């Protein structure tokens, strides 16, 4: 009953920047945290960053100091500002939301992903 839509991916040169966005829509779901994962071709999906409704932020060691996660006041949109991008950041980036679904319980949702390519 919840849909996550990502945008902002694209092609950028090493050292460049991109800003990803993800918006949640639907009903019957209380969002407690939103974040980002990524998956390179032929590789496993890995955690990137997460921000809870209470403001707690968590980053993977590989992106600390370069990426910044933020959320809007309604807490239905999450952003990922990516600076000093490296070729190894190339992946499909997926938005994630976790919370509580009415008449079900704890629940997680995923977006369809947006491609980020870092290349010269």
């Amino acid at each position: 009953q919840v849909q996550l839509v990502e945008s902002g991916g694209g092609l950028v040169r090493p050292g460049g920047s991109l800003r990803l966005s993800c918006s949640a829509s639907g009903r019957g779901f209380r969002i407690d945290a939103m974040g980002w994962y990524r998956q390179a071709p032929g590789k496993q999906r890995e955690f990137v960053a997460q921000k809870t409704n209470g403001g707690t932020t968590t980053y993977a060691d590989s992106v600390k100091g370069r990426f910044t996660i933020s959320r809007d006041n309604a807490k239905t949109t999450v952003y990922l500002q990516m600076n000093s991008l490296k070729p190894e950041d190339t992946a499909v980036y997926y938005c994630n939301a976790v919370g509580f679904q009415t008449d079900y319980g704890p629940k997680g949702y995923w977006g369809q992903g947006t491609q980020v390519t870092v290349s010269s």
Side-chain angles (χ1 to χ4, degrees):
Q1 204 169 2
V2 173
Q3 182 179 2
L4 303 178
V5 180
E6 304 103 327
S7 64
L11 174 65
V12 64
R13 294 187 178 278
S17 298
L18 283 174
R19 180 174 176 266
L20 307 182
S21 300
C22 173
S23 295
S25 62
R27 61 178 64 185
F29 183 67
R30 186 198 71 226
I31 297 175
D32 294 325
M34 297 185 74
W36 296 91
Y37 288 69
R38 66 187 182 185
Q39 187 169 20
K43 304 296 183 180
Q44 300 178 110
R45 186 172 298 187
E46 65 176 356
F47 171 80
V48 176
Q50 180 181 264
K51 193 174 188 69
T52 69
N53 286 17
T56 301
T57 60
T58 306
Y59 296 97
D61 288 342
S62 59
V63 306
K64 287 180 179 177
R66 300 188 298 120
F67 291 9
T68 303
I69 189 171
S70 61
R71 293 172 68 185
D72 68 348
N73 292 334
K75 300 178 181 177
T76 56
T77 302
V78 64
Y79 306 92
L80 187 68
Q81 179 66 47
M82 304 184 294
N83 299 326
S84 301
L85 283 162
K86 305 174 181 179
E88 48 263 47
D89 294 319
T90 296
V92 177
Y93 284 70
Y94 295 92
C95 179
N96 171 254
V98 295
F100 191 91
Q101 180 71 53
T102 301
D103 296 328
Y104 176 79
K107 181 77 172 180
Y109 289 93
W110 294 95
Q112 292 299 309
T114 184
Q115 177 71 49
V116 172
T117 302
V118 185
S119 176
S120 60

